[in-house]
């Protein structure tokens, strides 16, 4: 009886480890699934942000170029000579959306270009920092996933060893034969 009692105590200890192992495997698997979904969503967000940043960067360069060019003295003089319906001496266009008759109008137009450029630059900076945060989050999530996968492999290996060891106690009772997660 003492021997059987000692075997049952050992079986109880092992069963506790096995039960904890199955719970741990389930918990780690659920966390890995959540992380996988988070990584997929973050990668999708990163791609969308990257496209938006590239679009904003391109627009920003265009606005900066327009702003810098519009400050040129030659452009200011050419713009003053434009008349709606008359061909431009530079490009030949007959419609002149940036035509200005006075220096005040031209200064106002240049100010608008500058404001548009600065607003786009601020938006671009915000999107770039958001993209950086997304990339950091993605890197962190991938690292966490790798760590959890390594832990899961170790827990499964230990679980397999514990289940193999459980066979020693299967002769104590007929209900001890099944050692599955169920």
């Amino acid at each position: 009886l003492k021997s059987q009692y000692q075997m049952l105590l050992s079986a109880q200890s092992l069963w506790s480890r096995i039960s904890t192992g199955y719970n741990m495997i389930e918990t780690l698997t659920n966390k890995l699934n959540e992380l996988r979904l988070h990584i997929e969503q973050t990668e999708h967000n990163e791609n969308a942000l990257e496209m938006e940043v590239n679009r904003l960067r391109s627009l920003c360069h265009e606005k900066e170029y327009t702003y810098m060019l519009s400050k040129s003295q030659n452009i200011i003089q050419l713009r003053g000579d434009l008349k709606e319906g008359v061909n431009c001496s530079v490009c030949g266009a007959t419609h002149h959306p940036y035509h200005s008759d006075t220096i005040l109008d031209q200064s106002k137009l240049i100010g608008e270009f500058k404001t548009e450029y600065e607003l786009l630059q601020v938006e671009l900076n915000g999107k770039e920092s958001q993209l950086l945060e997304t990339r950091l989050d993605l890197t962190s999530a991938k690292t966490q996933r790798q760590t959890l996968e390594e832990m899961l492999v170790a827990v499964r290996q230990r679980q397999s060893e514990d289940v193999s060891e459980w066979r020693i106690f299967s002769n104590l009772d007929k209900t001890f034969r099944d050692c599955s997660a169920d």
Side-chain angles (χ1 to χ4, degrees), residues 32-57:
L32 278 169
N33 285 333
E34 288 174 14
L35 259 176
R36 181 185 49 80
L37 292 173
H38 175 71
I39 288 170
E40 287 174 4
Q41 182 65 37
T42 305
E43 285 174 339
H44 175 72
N45 290 346
E46 178 189 30
N47 291 338
L49 271 171
E50 198 166 350
M51 287 175 27
E52 180 69 12
V53 163
N54 288 338
R55 184 187 69 77
L56 282 172
R57 199 174 278 139

Side-chain angles (χ1 to χ4, degrees), residues 87-129:
N87 290 347
C88 172
S89 60
V90 176
C91 67
T94 56
H95 176 62
H96 312 293
Y98 301 124
H99 167 68
S100 319
D101 289 326
T102 66
I103 296 294
L104 184 61
D105 288 341
Q106 288 187 17
S107 294
K108 182 180 172 189
L109 186 62
I110 291 170
E112 289 173 5
F113 288 152
K114 180 181 179 185
T115 302
E116 287 175 9
Y117 164 68
E118 288 172 346
L119 288 173
L120 267 175
Q121 188 65 43
V122 167
E123 185 179 356
L124 175 62
N125 291 342
K127 291 288 183 180
E128 284 177 335
S129 76

Side-chain angles (χ1 to χ4, degrees), residues 10-181:
S10 296
Q12 182 181 20
S13 172
L14 181 59
W15 182 253
S16 178
R17 273 197 343 236
I18 290 172
S19 177
T20 302
Y22 281 128
N23 289 336
M24 190 103 146
I25 288 171
E26 184 178 348
T27 301
L28 288 173
T29 303
N30 289 339
K31 283 183 181 180
L32 278 169
N33 285 333
E34 288 174 14
L35 259 176
R36 181 185 49 80
L37 292 173
H38 175 71
I39 288 170
E40 287 174 4
Q41 182 65 37
T42 305
E43 285 174 339
H44 175 72
N45 290 346
E46 178 189 30
N47 291 338
L49 271 171
E50 198 166 350
M51 287 175 27
E52 180 69 12
V53 163
N54 288 338
R55 184 187 69 77
L56 282 172
R57 199 174 278 139
S58 174
L59 267 173
C60 205
H61 287 301
E62 285 177 26
K63 292 293 181 185
E64 182 182 29
Y65 178 76
T66 303
Y67 168 60
M68 293 300 182
L69 192 62
S70 69
K71 292 189 322 184
S72 165
Q73 194 62 36
N74 293 338
I75 298 296
I76 292 173
Q77 288 173 351
L78 286 172
R79 194 177 288 134
D81 296 338
L82 292 174
K83 304 277 186 258
E84 194 63 36
V86 177
N87 290 347
C88 172
S89 60
V90 176
C91 67
T94 56
H95 176 62
H96 312 293
Y98 301 124
H99 167 68
S100 319
D101 289 326
T102 66
I103 296 294
L104 184 61
D105 288 341
Q106 288 187 17
S107 294
K108 182 180 172 189
L109 186 62
I110 291 170
E112 289 173 5
F113 288 152
K114 180 181 179 185
T115 302
E116 287 175 9
Y117 164 68
E118 288 172 346
L119 288 173
L120 267 175
Q121 188 65 43
V122 167
E123 185 179 356
L124 175 62
N125 291 342
K127 291 288 183 180
E128 284 177 335
S129 76
Q130 191 177 359
L131 180 61
L132 179 63
E133 288 175 20
T134 302
R135 285 181 174 157
L136 290 173
D137 181 37
L138 185 60
T139 302
S140 171
K142 284 182 176 181
T143 303
Q144 188 178 4
R145 178 182 65 187
Q146 183 179 0
T147 303
L148 286 175
E149 285 173 345
E150 291 169 1
M151 282 177 57
L152 184 60
V153 166
V155 168
R156 281 188 173 150
Q157 182 179 357
R158 191 189 81 218
Q159 187 71 5
S160 176
E161 292 167 1
D162 288 345
V163 167
S164 294
E165 188 179 333
W166 181 254
R167 290 188 190 121
I168 297 170
F169 304 106
S170 64
N171 294 333
L172 291 176
D173 192 284
K174 63 182 179 179
T175 60
F176 286 7
R177 296 201 196 293
D178 184 29
C179 186
S180 66

